[in-house]
Structure formats: C-alpha cells, structure tokens
Amino acid sequence: LDNTYRPRIEWANIKYQVTPELAVRVGRIALPVFLTADYRKVGYAYPWVRPPVEGYNVLPVTSSDGIDATLRWDLGPVRNASQVFYGHSAVALIAPLHVYGRGGVGISNTSDWGALSVRANMISAEISSDIAVDLFDGFNAFGPAGQALTRRYAMDHKRMTLANIGVNYDPGNWFVMAEAGRTVSHSFLGATRNVYVSAGWRWKSLTPYATWARVRGVGPTLDPGLPAAALPPALVPTAAMLNAGLNTLLIRIPQQTSV
C-alpha cells in the first residue's frame, strides 16, 4: 500500500507426528481457510492469475502463531483430514497501522474422494486495529451518541467469524471449483457474503478458464452518524467531518461482481 516490499514469514513451525494419522505443530501456521489454503502464497500452484478477490480478500490475516493438530481418517472411500488450531496474529499495513488477531480458534475438514475434494472451515478471532483510532476518539468526545457509534464500528477487541466451504472436481484434463463464505466482524469491516464458480480446461501448458465471482455486504454501508441537528452550531462542522470519516470506512465494505 505504501509502495514498499517487506517479506513476511508465513510458515515456520515444528511438527511432531504423534501417530501415522495424528500430527501436532507449534509455531507460525498458515490458516486452513479456502481451497488453496496450503499454497495461496505460491502463485504457480493454482490455475488462475490470482484467486478471486471477492472471497480471498475478506480475511485480513493469513497465518497465526500458535498450535494445531491434524487427524487423518477414512470413511469408506473418502479420505479426510480434520484440523483444529489456536493462535494469535499481527499484520502490518502502513506504519503505524496494524491488524491484530487474538485468541483465534478454528476447525477445518478436507474430504477427498477420487477427483473430488471438499473443504469446510470456520474460524473466529478477536480482532483489533490502529485504523481510525483518532476518528473514534472524536466520536467518544460527543458523549453517549458518539460512544454508541464507537461501540458499533471501532475495530477494538471485536469478535470476527468466518465460515467457508469449497468444492473442487479435478479429473486432470479439466476442473470445476466453487467456494462460498460468510464473514461477520461487528466493526467497520461489516459482514459479507461471497461466492465464486470457476472452470478450466488444460491443453498442454495452456489452461483457459472462466470465473464468476461476487461479494456483497450484509447490512448498511452508510450511517447517518451523529445527529447534527441536535448539536450546538459550533459543533456541527466537527460532527459532519466525523460522520464523513465513518462513511468513508463503511463504503469500503466490498460490493462487487466480476467475470
């Protein structure tokens, strides 16, 4: 965002194979979210130029420092891998702005049956951020009305939950895949629903593909903010500036469809 490049370690952990089916890891672990969770930072491993942003950009953090356990088990011809994890994370945006995730807990299950793969997961974490701290300090100065807006929209120890399910059928020469998800943040990030469907055909080293994707905010993307009509005239310009700043945040809740 600020035209600089800073490498960041996504994976750094110690793994202990308790049994042939059960493994435990401690350290920095990539969050097991989305179909491409295991390689979403490795661009040549998926068929697109990039994953659909309508789904893959809804999660502000992609790894956590903590512990996880993965159990592999069979159900008839279906091979399953079930994972539970717990950890914390922090992502630097533009100095001094950060996004912090604390007490992240989640579960993920991947089922493979021949060419068919299904991955379902849910993650919940307490998120905080330096973003717009001054804005919400300004709201707090306006008493109960402003403090209510801060409680509703500030990203300050708010519980964020993401649920996602993805299906991929890939017999080799062609593939069809789709994912759908829902996020709830109780902050200015809002709540969203997202979905995409993608299909492609492999011909030698060429893979033409088509993708349709959509993300929509669930809830308002504008808020009237402080009631300017009820304020003393001297405070109206400040209230209007704060209201405009809040709506600048809310209007960024993703709303788009792409083909």
Side-chain angles (χ1 to χ4, degrees), residues 186-242:
H186 303 292
S187 72
F188 62 78
L189 293 180
T192 62
R193 290 192 181 102
N194 60 83
V195 63
Y196 78 82
V197 180
S198 186
W201 172 59
R202 297 186 179 92
W203 180 68
K204 298 183 179 179
S205 60
L206 181 67
T207 306
Y209 65 87
T211 302
W212 175 87
R214 181 174 184 176
V215 60
R216 284 291 181 268
V218 181
T221 56
L222 292 174
D223 192 292
L226 294 167
L231 297 173
L235 296 179
V236 170
T238 302
M241 181 179 66
L242 293 172

Short mmCIF file of all heavy atoms in Angstrom, two decimals, residues 186-242:
data_model
loop_
_atom_site.label_atom_id
_atom_site.label_comp_id
_atom_site.label_asym_id
_atom_site.label_seq_id
_atom_site.Cartn_x
_atom_site.Cartn_y
_atom_site.Cartn_z
N HIS A 186 -18.63 -7.28 13.28
CA HIS A 186 -19.11 -6.35 14.30
C HIS A 186 -18.22 -5.11 14.39
O HIS A 186 -17.91 -4.62 15.48
CB HIS A 186 -19.21 -7.03 15.67
CG HIS A 186 -20.09 -8.24 15.68
ND1 HIS A 186 -21.46 -8.19 15.50
CD2 HIS A 186 -19.79 -9.56 15.81
CE1 HIS A 186 -21.97 -9.40 15.54
NE2 HIS A 186 -20.99 -10.26 15.72
N SER A 187 -17.75 -4.63 13.23
CA SER A 187 -16.91 -3.43 13.17
C SER A 187 -17.14 -2.76 11.83
O SER A 187 -18.05 -3.14 11.08
CB SER A 187 -15.43 -3.82 13.31
OG SER A 187 -14.96 -4.48 12.13
N PHE A 188 -16.30 -1.77 11.50
CA PHE A 188 -16.47 -1.09 10.22
C PHE A 188 -16.13 -1.99 9.03
O PHE A 188 -16.38 -1.62 7.89
CB PHE A 188 -15.65 0.21 10.17
CG PHE A 188 -14.16 0.02 10.30
CD1 PHE A 188 -13.40 -0.42 9.24
CD2 PHE A 188 -13.53 0.30 11.50
CE1 PHE A 188 -12.03 -0.59 9.35
CE2 PHE A 188 -12.16 0.14 11.63
CZ PHE A 188 -11.41 -0.30 10.55
N LEU A 189 -15.58 -3.18 9.28
CA LEU A 189 -15.40 -4.15 8.20
C LEU A 189 -16.72 -4.75 7.75
O LEU A 189 -16.82 -5.33 6.67
CB LEU A 189 -14.45 -5.27 8.64
CG LEU A 189 -13.00 -4.90 8.89
CD1 LEU A 189 -12.22 -6.15 9.32
CD2 LEU A 189 -12.37 -4.27 7.67
N GLY A 190 -17.74 -4.63 8.58
CA GLY A 190 -19.07 -5.10 8.23
C GLY A 190 -19.17 -6.61 8.19
O GLY A 190 -18.35 -7.35 8.74
N ALA A 191 -20.23 -7.08 7.53
CA ALA A 191 -20.46 -8.51 7.31
C ALA A 191 -20.66 -8.71 5.82
O ALA A 191 -21.25 -7.87 5.14
CB ALA A 191 -21.69 -8.97 8.09
N THR A 192 -20.15 -9.82 5.30
CA THR A 192 -20.22 -10.05 3.86
C THR A 192 -20.62 -11.49 3.56
O THR A 192 -20.43 -12.39 4.38
CB THR A 192 -18.86 -9.78 3.17
OG1 THR A 192 -17.88 -10.70 3.69
CG2 THR A 192 -18.40 -8.35 3.40
N ARG A 193 -21.15 -11.66 2.35
CA ARG A 193 -21.34 -12.98 1.75
C ARG A 193 -20.59 -13.00 0.43
O ARG A 193 -20.62 -12.01 -0.31
CB ARG A 193 -22.82 -13.26 1.49
CG ARG A 193 -23.67 -13.47 2.73
CD ARG A 193 -25.04 -14.03 2.34
NE ARG A 193 -25.90 -14.22 3.51
CZ ARG A 193 -26.88 -13.40 3.84
NH1 ARG A 193 -27.11 -12.32 3.11
NH2 ARG A 193 -27.62 -13.64 4.91
N ASN A 194 -19.91 -14.09 0.14
CA ASN A 194 -19.15 -14.16 -1.11
C ASN A 194 -19.27 -15.54 -1.72
O ASN A 194 -19.48 -16.54 -1.02
CB ASN A 194 -17.68 -13.80 -0.87
CG ASN A 194 -17.02 -14.74 0.12
OD1 ASN A 194 -16.56 -15.82 -0.23
ND2 ASN A 194 -16.96 -14.33 1.39
N VAL A 195 -19.13 -15.59 -3.05
CA VAL A 195 -19.21 -16.86 -3.77
C VAL A 195 -18.48 -16.70 -5.10
O VAL A 195 -18.40 -15.60 -5.65
CB VAL A 195 -20.69 -17.25 -4.02
CG1 VAL A 195 -21.41 -16.23 -4.89
CG2 VAL A 195 -20.80 -18.64 -4.63
N TYR A 196 -17.90 -17.78 -5.57
CA TYR A 196 -17.36 -17.80 -6.93
C TYR A 196 -17.50 -19.20 -7.50
O TYR A 196 -17.57 -20.19 -6.77
CB TYR A 196 -15.90 -17.32 -6.98
CG TYR A 196 -14.88 -18.36 -6.54
CD1 TYR A 196 -14.43 -19.35 -7.41
CD2 TYR A 196 -14.34 -18.32 -5.26
CE1 TYR A 196 -13.50 -20.29 -7.01
CE2 TYR A 196 -13.41 -19.26 -4.85
CZ TYR A 196 -13.00 -20.24 -5.73
OH TYR A 196 -12.07 -21.18 -5.33
N VAL A 197 -17.52 -19.27 -8.82
CA VAL A 197 -17.51 -20.52 -9.56
C VAL A 197 -16.49 -20.38 -10.67
O VAL A 197 -16.45 -19.35 -11.36
CB VAL A 197 -18.90 -20.85 -10.16
CG1 VAL A 197 -18.85 -22.16 -10.93
CG2 VAL A 197 -19.95 -20.90 -9.07
N SER A 198 -15.63 -21.38 -10.84
CA SER A 198 -14.58 -21.32 -11.85
C SER A 198 -14.43 -22.67 -12.53
O SER A 198 -14.56 -23.71 -11.88
CB SER A 198 -13.25 -20.91 -11.20
OG SER A 198 -12.25 -20.70 -12.17
N ALA A 199 -14.17 -22.65 -13.84
CA ALA A 199 -13.96 -23.89 -14.59
C ALA A 199 -12.88 -23.65 -15.63
O ALA A 199 -12.76 -22.55 -16.18
CB ALA A 199 -15.26 -24.34 -15.27
N GLY A 200 -12.07 -24.66 -15.89
CA GLY A 200 -11.00 -24.52 -16.86
C GLY A 200 -10.68 -25.83 -17.55
O GLY A 200 -11.09 -26.92 -17.10
N TRP A 201 -9.93 -25.73 -18.63
CA TRP A 201 -9.55 -26.89 -19.44
C TRP A 201 -8.05 -26.82 -19.69
O TRP A 201 -7.52 -25.79 -20.09
CB TRP A 201 -10.30 -26.87 -20.77
CG TRP A 201 -9.85 -27.90 -21.75
CD1 TRP A 201 -9.84 -29.25 -21.58
CD2 TRP A 201 -9.35 -27.65 -23.07
NE1 TRP A 201 -9.36 -29.88 -22.71
CE2 TRP A 201 -9.06 -28.92 -23.64
CE3 TRP A 201 -9.12 -26.50 -23.82
CZ2 TRP A 201 -8.53 -29.04 -24.92
CZ3 TRP A 201 -8.62 -26.63 -25.09
CH2 TRP A 201 -8.33 -27.88 -25.64
N ARG A 202 -7.35 -27.91 -19.40
CA ARG A 202 -5.90 -27.95 -19.56
C ARG A 202 -5.54 -28.53 -20.93
O ARG A 202 -5.94 -29.64 -21.26
CB ARG A 202 -5.26 -28.79 -18.46
CG ARG A 202 -5.49 -28.21 -17.06
CD ARG A 202 -4.72 -28.98 -16.00
NE ARG A 202 -4.92 -28.40 -14.69
CZ ARG A 202 -5.86 -28.79 -13.84
NH1 ARG A 202 -6.69 -29.77 -14.19
NH2 ARG A 202 -5.98 -28.23 -12.66
N TRP A 203 -4.80 -27.75 -21.68
CA TRP A 203 -4.32 -28.18 -23.00
C TRP A 203 -2.83 -27.91 -23.07
O TRP A 203 -2.41 -26.76 -23.15
CB TRP A 203 -5.06 -27.43 -24.12
CG TRP A 203 -4.62 -27.83 -25.49
CD1 TRP A 203 -4.81 -29.03 -26.11
CD2 TRP A 203 -3.89 -27.01 -26.41
NE1 TRP A 203 -4.25 -29.03 -27.35
CE2 TRP A 203 -3.67 -27.79 -27.58
CE3 TRP A 203 -3.39 -25.70 -26.38
CZ2 TRP A 203 -2.99 -27.31 -28.68
CZ3 TRP A 203 -2.71 -25.22 -27.49
CH2 TRP A 203 -2.51 -26.02 -28.63
N LYS A 204 -2.02 -28.98 -22.91
CA LYS A 204 -0.56 -28.87 -22.81
C LYS A 204 -0.22 -27.91 -21.68
O LYS A 204 -0.62 -28.14 -20.54
CB LYS A 204 0.03 -28.45 -24.15
CG LYS A 204 -0.23 -29.47 -25.27
CD LYS A 204 0.42 -29.07 -26.59
CE LYS A 204 0.17 -30.13 -27.64
NZ LYS A 204 0.77 -29.77 -28.96
N SER A 205 0.49 -26.82 -21.97
CA SER A 205 0.86 -25.90 -20.90
C SER A 205 -0.10 -24.72 -20.78
O SER A 205 0.15 -23.77 -20.03
CB SER A 205 2.28 -25.36 -21.13
OG SER A 205 2.35 -24.68 -22.36
N LEU A 206 -1.22 -24.77 -21.50
CA LEU A 206 -2.19 -23.68 -21.50
C LEU A 206 -3.45 -24.11 -20.76
O LEU A 206 -3.94 -25.22 -20.94
CB LEU A 206 -2.55 -23.29 -22.94
CG LEU A 206 -3.54 -22.13 -23.11
CD1 LEU A 206 -2.92 -20.83 -22.64
CD2 LEU A 206 -3.98 -22.04 -24.58
N THR A 207 -3.98 -23.22 -19.91
CA THR A 207 -5.21 -23.50 -19.18
C THR A 207 -6.17 -22.32 -19.30
O THR A 207 -6.17 -21.42 -18.46
CB THR A 207 -4.93 -23.78 -17.69
OG1 THR A 207 -3.98 -24.83 -17.58
CG2 THR A 207 -6.21 -24.19 -16.96
N PRO A 208 -6.97 -22.28 -20.35
CA PRO A 208 -8.02 -21.27 -20.39
C PRO A 208 -9.08 -21.58 -19.32
O PRO A 208 -9.41 -22.75 -19.10
CB PRO A 208 -8.59 -21.39 -21.80
CG PRO A 208 -8.26 -22.77 -22.23
CD PRO A 208 -6.97 -23.13 -21.55
N TYR A 209 -9.59 -20.56 -18.68
CA TYR A 209 -10.57 -20.77 -17.61
C TYR A 209 -11.55 -19.59 -17.59
O TYR A 209 -11.29 -18.52 -18.15
CB TYR A 209 -9.90 -20.90 -16.25
CG TYR A 209 -9.19 -19.66 -15.77
CD1 TYR A 209 -9.87 -18.67 -15.06
CD2 TYR A 209 -7.83 -19.46 -16.02
CE1 TYR A 209 -9.23 -17.52 -14.63
CE2 TYR A 209 -7.19 -18.32 -15.59
CZ TYR A 209 -7.89 -17.35 -14.90
OH TYR A 209 -7.25 -16.22 -14.47
N ALA A 210 -12.67 -19.81 -16.95
CA ALA A 210 -13.68 -18.77 -16.76
C ALA A 210 -14.08 -18.76 -15.29
O ALA A 210 -14.21 -19.82 -14.66
CB ALA A 210 -14.90 -19.02 -17.64
N THR A 211 -14.28 -17.56 -14.76
CA THR A 211 -14.65 -17.40 -13.36
C THR A 211 -15.73 -16.35 -13.21
O THR A 211 -15.63 -15.28 -13.83
CB THR A 211 -13.43 -16.99 -12.51
OG1 THR A 211 -12.40 -17.97 -12.64
CG2 THR A 211 -13.80 -16.86 -11.04
N TRP A 212 -16.72 -16.64 -12.40
CA TRP A 212 -17.71 -15.66 -11.98
C TRP A 212 -17.61 -15.55 -10.47
O TRP A 212 -17.58 -16.57 -9.77
CB TRP A 212 -19.12 -16.09 -12.38
CG TRP A 212 -20.20 -15.18 -11.86
CD1 TRP A 212 -20.69 -14.06 -12.45
CD2 TRP A 212 -20.93 -15.34 -10.63
NE1 TRP A 212 -21.68 -13.50 -11.67
CE2 TRP A 212 -21.85 -14.26 -10.55
CE3 TRP A 212 -20.89 -16.27 -9.60
CZ2 TRP A 212 -22.72 -14.11 -9.47
CZ3 TRP A 212 -21.75 -16.11 -8.52
CH2 TRP A 212 -22.66 -15.04 -8.46
N ALA A 213 -17.55 -14.33 -9.95
CA ALA A 213 -17.39 -14.14 -8.51
C ALA A 213 -18.21 -12.95 -8.04
O ALA A 213 -18.41 -11.98 -8.79
CB ALA A 213 -15.92 -13.92 -8.17
N ARG A 214 -18.67 -13.03 -6.81
CA ARG A 214 -19.49 -11.95 -6.26
C ARG A 214 -19.28 -11.84 -4.76
O ARG A 214 -19.13 -12.85 -4.06
CB ARG A 214 -20.97 -12.22 -6.55
CG ARG A 214 -21.91 -11.13 -6.04
CD ARG A 214 -23.34 -11.40 -6.48
NE ARG A 214 -24.23 -10.31 -6.10
CZ ARG A 214 -25.51 -10.25 -6.42
NH1 ARG A 214 -26.05 -11.21 -7.15
NH2 ARG A 214 -26.25 -9.23 -6.03
N VAL A 215 -19.25 -10.61 -4.26
CA VAL A 215 -19.23 -10.35 -2.82
C VAL A 215 -20.21 -9.23 -2.55
O VAL A 215 -20.31 -8.26 -3.31
CB VAL A 215 -17.80 -9.99 -2.32
CG1 VAL A 215 -17.26 -8.74 -3.01
CG2 VAL A 215 -17.79 -9.82 -0.81
N ARG A 216 -20.96 -9.37 -1.46
CA ARG A 216 -21.95 -8.38 -1.08
C ARG A 216 -21.89 -8.14 0.43
O ARG A 216 -21.72 -9.08 1.20
CB ARG A 216 -23.37 -8.84 -1.45
CG ARG A 216 -23.69 -8.72 -2.93
CD ARG A 216 -23.80 -7.25 -3.34
NE ARG A 216 -24.13 -7.08 -4.74
CZ ARG A 216 -23.24 -6.94 -5.72
NH1 ARG A 216 -21.94 -6.98 -5.43
NH2 ARG A 216 -23.60 -6.76 -6.97
N GLY A 217 -22.02 -6.87 0.80
CA GLY A 217 -22.12 -6.54 2.21
C GLY A 217 -23.49 -6.89 2.74
O GLY A 217 -24.50 -6.73 2.06
N VAL A 218 -23.52 -7.40 3.96
CA VAL A 218 -24.78 -7.71 4.64
C VAL A 218 -24.99 -6.64 5.70
O VAL A 218 -24.33 -6.65 6.74
CB VAL A 218 -24.75 -9.11 5.27
CG1 VAL A 218 -26.08 -9.41 5.95
CG2 VAL A 218 -24.42 -10.17 4.23
N GLY A 219 -25.86 -5.70 5.43
CA GLY A 219 -26.04 -4.60 6.35
C GLY A 219 -25.70 -3.28 5.68
O GLY A 219 -25.30 -3.22 4.52
N PRO A 220 -25.83 -2.17 6.42
CA PRO A 220 -25.65 -0.85 5.83
C PRO A 220 -24.19 -0.54 5.50
O PRO A 220 -23.28 -0.98 6.20
CB PRO A 220 -26.17 0.10 6.91
CG PRO A 220 -25.98 -0.66 8.20
CD PRO A 220 -26.20 -2.10 7.85
N THR A 221 -24.00 0.18 4.40
CA THR A 221 -22.67 0.71 4.06
C THR A 221 -22.62 2.21 4.24
O THR A 221 -21.64 2.85 3.86
CB THR A 221 -22.31 0.34 2.61
OG1 THR A 221 -23.34 0.83 1.74
CG2 THR A 221 -22.19 -1.16 2.45
N LEU A 222 -23.67 2.77 4.81
CA LEU A 222 -23.71 4.19 5.18
C LEU A 222 -24.41 4.30 6.53
O LEU A 222 -25.27 3.49 6.87
CB LEU A 222 -24.47 5.02 4.14
CG LEU A 222 -23.82 5.19 2.77
CD1 LEU A 222 -24.77 5.91 1.82
CD2 LEU A 222 -22.51 5.97 2.87
N ASP A 223 -24.03 5.33 7.31
CA ASP A 223 -24.64 5.56 8.61
C ASP A 223 -24.82 7.06 8.81
O ASP A 223 -23.90 7.83 8.52
CB ASP A 223 -23.75 4.98 9.73
CG ASP A 223 -24.46 4.91 11.07
OD1 ASP A 223 -24.75 5.98 11.64
OD2 ASP A 223 -24.74 3.79 11.55
N PRO A 224 -25.99 7.51 9.29
CA PRO A 224 -26.17 8.95 9.48
C PRO A 224 -25.24 9.54 10.52
O PRO A 224 -25.01 10.76 10.54
CB PRO A 224 -27.64 9.07 9.90
CG PRO A 224 -28.01 7.69 10.41
CD PRO A 224 -27.19 6.74 9.60
N GLY A 225 -24.70 8.71 11.41
CA GLY A 225 -23.72 9.19 12.37
C GLY A 225 -24.33 10.06 13.44
O GLY A 225 -25.47 9.85 13.89
N LEU A 226 -23.58 11.06 13.86
CA LEU A 226 -24.04 11.98 14.91
C LEU A 226 -25.20 12.83 14.41
O LEU A 226 -25.18 13.31 13.28
CB LEU A 226 -22.90 12.88 15.35
CG LEU A 226 -21.72 12.20 16.06
CD1 LEU A 226 -20.53 13.15 16.15
CD2 LEU A 226 -22.15 11.74 17.46
N PRO A 227 -26.23 13.02 15.23
CA PRO A 227 -27.38 13.85 14.81
C PRO A 227 -27.01 15.33 14.86
O PRO A 227 -27.13 15.99 15.90
CB PRO A 227 -28.45 13.49 15.84
CG PRO A 227 -27.70 13.07 17.07
CD PRO A 227 -26.42 12.44 16.58
N ALA A 228 -26.57 15.86 13.73
CA ALA A 228 -26.09 17.25 13.69
C ALA A 228 -27.16 18.24 14.10
O ALA A 228 -26.86 19.29 14.71
CB ALA A 228 -25.58 17.57 12.29
N ALA A 229 -28.43 17.96 13.81
CA ALA A 229 -29.50 18.91 14.12
C ALA A 229 -29.67 19.13 15.61
O ALA A 229 -30.19 20.17 16.04
CB ALA A 229 -30.81 18.42 13.51
N ALA A 230 -29.23 18.15 16.42
CA ALA A 230 -29.40 18.27 17.87
C ALA A 230 -28.18 18.86 18.56
O ALA A 230 -28.16 18.97 19.79
CB ALA A 230 -29.71 16.89 18.45
N LEU A 231 -27.17 19.25 17.80
CA LEU A 231 -25.93 19.75 18.38
C LEU A 231 -25.87 21.26 18.34
O LEU A 231 -26.50 21.91 17.49
CB LEU A 231 -24.74 19.17 17.61
CG LEU A 231 -24.56 17.65 17.64
CD1 LEU A 231 -23.45 17.23 16.69
CD2 LEU A 231 -24.27 17.17 19.05
N PRO A 232 -25.07 21.88 19.23
CA PRO A 232 -24.83 23.33 19.15
C PRO A 232 -24.18 23.67 17.82
O PRO A 232 -23.38 22.89 17.29
CB PRO A 232 -23.88 23.59 20.32
CG PRO A 232 -24.11 22.46 21.28
CD PRO A 232 -24.44 21.28 20.41
N PRO A 233 -24.50 24.83 17.24
CA PRO A 233 -23.96 25.18 15.92
C PRO A 233 -22.44 25.09 15.83
O PRO A 233 -21.90 24.71 14.78
CB PRO A 233 -24.46 26.61 15.70
CG PRO A 233 -25.71 26.69 16.54
CD PRO A 233 -25.45 25.83 17.75
N ALA A 234 -21.74 25.39 16.91
CA ALA A 234 -20.29 25.37 16.86
C ALA A 234 -19.72 23.96 16.67
O ALA A 234 -18.59 23.79 16.20
CB ALA A 234 -19.72 25.99 18.14
N LEU A 235 -20.50 22.94 17.04
CA LEU A 235 -20.02 21.56 16.95
C LEU A 235 -20.43 20.86 15.66
O LEU A 235 -19.96 19.77 15.36
CB LEU A 235 -20.53 20.74 18.14
CG LEU A 235 -20.05 21.17 19.52
CD1 LEU A 235 -20.65 20.28 20.59
CD2 LEU A 235 -18.53 21.13 19.60
N VAL A 236 -21.33 21.49 14.89
CA VAL A 236 -21.85 20.85 13.69
C VAL A 236 -20.75 20.54 12.67
O VAL A 236 -20.70 19.44 12.11
CB VAL A 236 -22.96 21.70 13.06
CG1 VAL A 236 -23.35 21.17 11.68
CG2 VAL A 236 -24.18 21.70 13.97
N PRO A 237 -19.80 21.47 12.37
CA PRO A 237 -18.75 21.13 11.39
C PRO A 237 -17.90 19.93 11.81
O PRO A 237 -17.56 19.08 10.98
CB PRO A 237 -17.92 22.41 11.30
CG PRO A 237 -18.85 23.50 11.72
CD PRO A 237 -19.71 22.89 12.79
N THR A 238 -17.57 19.85 13.10
CA THR A 238 -16.78 18.71 13.58
C THR A 238 -17.57 17.42 13.45
O THR A 238 -17.04 16.38 13.03
CB THR A 238 -16.36 18.92 15.04
OG1 THR A 238 -15.62 20.14 15.14
CG2 THR A 238 -15.51 17.77 15.54
N ALA A 239 -18.86 17.46 13.82
CA ALA A 239 -19.69 16.27 13.70
C ALA A 239 -19.80 15.82 12.25
O ALA A 239 -19.73 14.63 11.95
CB ALA A 239 -21.07 16.53 14.28
N ALA A 240 -19.96 16.78 11.34
CA ALA A 240 -20.07 16.44 9.92
C ALA A 240 -18.78 15.79 9.42
O ALA A 240 -18.82 14.85 8.61
CB ALA A 240 -20.39 17.69 9.11
N MET A 241 -17.63 16.29 9.89
CA MET A 241 -16.35 15.71 9.48
C MET A 241 -16.22 14.27 10.00
O MET A 241 -15.76 13.37 9.29
CB MET A 241 -15.20 16.57 10.00
CG MET A 241 -13.81 16.07 9.61
SD MET A 241 -12.50 17.15 10.23
CE MET A 241 -12.70 16.90 12.01
N LEU A 242 -16.63 14.05 11.25
CA LEU A 242 -16.57 12.70 11.81
C LEU A 242 -17.51 11.75 11.07
O LEU A 242 -17.15 10.61 10.77
CB LEU A 242 -16.90 12.73 13.30
CG LEU A 242 -15.90 13.44 14.21
CD1 LEU A 242 -16.45 13.56 15.63
CD2 LEU A 242 -14.56 12.70 14.24
#
